């Protein structure tokens, strides 16, 4: 049985580790190739796009894939859409592995928005000119904030972004998980008064939310897109592994 894991997340790597060496199971993890030095999971790995839904469907047929697990980032809408289309075309079972989203706690000052464009608009209104923004939405959407010239942006990313970028920017190249003490120190050292993030969920980057709550800093949260209609969802690596094992035994 050949399982294709659409990866790029901690959960995808953990799933590959869980399934690695399982009798009668071949696991291939696919990575988009957007990170220069990704953490490779065990098993087979392919890097690069498929060429849309049709290209993915062709790959599933060519490599006799028995099941697909979409364990991509919750905001990787395009690949998730293509996976749903390809799975439906080839009649290959598809499961979405999605870590639960974050939930605001008492004392949080969250401003939820539907997109990066709305987040950029919110940045311009949540504080006056001269605000200092900690931007943790990834390098791919940085151009959305490039027109804001009256704010300082601290941008944290695994790899350096390409222009256009906000004119007043300091780049911090780092990869989680992050600690609460580290996030507290970061917010204080850079005098941050606004945090912008996507609702990625999980624990690796959640300490920034606690640090913002403690400091009374408003957080602009971009809501995650829904999973494709009709696609079953597993919230944990264990649940996804059980789904695969049931396919193997059934």
């Amino acid at each position: 049985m050949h399982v294709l894991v659409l990866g790029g997340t901690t959960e995808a790597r953990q799933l590959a580790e869980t399934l690695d060496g399982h009798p009668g199971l071949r696991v291939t993890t696919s990575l988009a190739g957007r990170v220069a030095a990704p953490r490779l999971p065990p098993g087979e790995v392919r890097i690069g796009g498929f060429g849309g839904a049709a290209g993915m469907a062709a790959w599933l047929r060519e490599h006799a894939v028995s099941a697909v697990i979409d364990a991509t980032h919750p905001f990787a809408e395009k690949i998730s859409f293509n996976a749903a289309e390809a799975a439906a075309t080839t009649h290959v079972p598809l499961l979405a592995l999605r870590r639960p989203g974050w939930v605001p706690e008492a004392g949080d000052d969250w401003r939820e928005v539907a997109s990066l464009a709305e987040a950029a608009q919110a940045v311009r209104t949540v504080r006056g000119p001269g605000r200092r923004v900690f931007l943790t939405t990834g390098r791919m959407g940085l151009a959305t904030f490039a027109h804001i010239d009256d704010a300082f942006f601290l941008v944290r990313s695994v790899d350096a972004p390409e222009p256009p970028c906000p004119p007043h920017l300091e780049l911090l190249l780092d990869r989680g998980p992050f600690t609460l003490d580290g996030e507290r120190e970061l917010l204080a050292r850079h005098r941050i008064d606004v945090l912008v993030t996507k609702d990625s969920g999980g624990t690796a980057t959640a300490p920034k939310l606690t640090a913002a709550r403690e400091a009374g800093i408003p957080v602009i949260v971009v809501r995650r897109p829904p999973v494709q209609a009709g696609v079953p969802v597993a919230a944990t690596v264990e649940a996804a592994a059980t789904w695969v094992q049931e396919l193997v035994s059934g």
Side-chain angles (χ1 to χ4, degrees):
M1 181 175 177
H2 187 191
V3 177
L4 174 65
V5 178
L6 303 177
T9 60
T10 300
E11 290 80 9
R13 189 171 62 254
Q14 291 174 343
L15 179 61
E17 293 170 352
T18 300
L19 299 178
D20 185 47
H22 190 285
L25 195 60
R26 172 189 173 195
V27 179
T28 299
T29 299
S30 178
L31 302 176
R34 292 179 176 175
V35 176
R39 295 173 178 171
L40 298 181
E44 300 176 38
V45 177
R46 69 172 300 278
I47 297 179
F50 289 93
M56 187 184 296
W59 199 93
L60 297 182
R61 294 190 186 98
E62 179 183 354
H63 295 271
V65 172
S66 311
V68 178
I69 298 180
D70 175 10
T72 58
H73 192 276
F75 284 83
E77 294 180 78
K78 186 174 182 180
I79 186 65
S80 295
F81 174 83
N82 290 342
E85 291 289 305
T89 300
T90 57
H91 305 288
V92 171
L94 170 66
L95 177 75
L97 173 55
R98 291 288 184 273
R99 67 186 79 139
W102 291 319
V103 178
E105 299 183 13
D108 280 325
D109 181 8
W110 285 16
R111 323 290 174 89
E112 296 191 23
V113 296
S115 65
L116 286 178
E118 288 189 13
Q121 292 176 350
V123 163
R124 307 202 72 166
T125 59
V126 72
R127 294 285 194 192
R131 56 202 164 279
R132 301 179 64 83
V133 184
F134 185 21
L135 188 59
T136 64
T137 55
R139 65 186 177 93
M140 302 303 293
L142 198 55
T144 310
F145 301 85
H147 65 286
I148 303 178
D149 58 5
D150 59 351
F152 163 83
F153 286 90
L154 175 65
V155 175
R156 184 165 64 193
S157 176
V158 176
D159 293 317
E162 297 181 356
C165 299
H168 308 295
L169 176 147
E170 181 174 338
L171 181 62
L172 177 61
L173 296 181
D174 203 355
R175 187 201 306 258
F178 303 105
T179 66
L180 178 55
D181 285 342
E183 300 293 63
R184 287 168 174 156
E185 191 275 335
L186 191 69
L187 297 183
R189 172 160 46 95
H190 292 276
R191 296 178 285 114
I192 298 299
D193 53 19
V194 181
L195 168 63
V196 182
T197 186
K198 293 178 177 177
D199 179 15
S200 301
T203 59
T205 61
K208 63 189 173 187
L209 301 174
T210 302
R213 181 191 316 125
E214 292 176 350
I217 294 173
V219 182
I220 300 170
V221 181
V222 182
R223 293 188 295 269
R224 60 172 61 180
V227 175
Q228 293 293 316
V231 176
V233 179
T236 65
V237 170
E238 293 75 15
T242 298
W243 182 82
V244 172
Q245 292 163 2
E246 289 175 349
L247 288 179
V248 172
S249 61

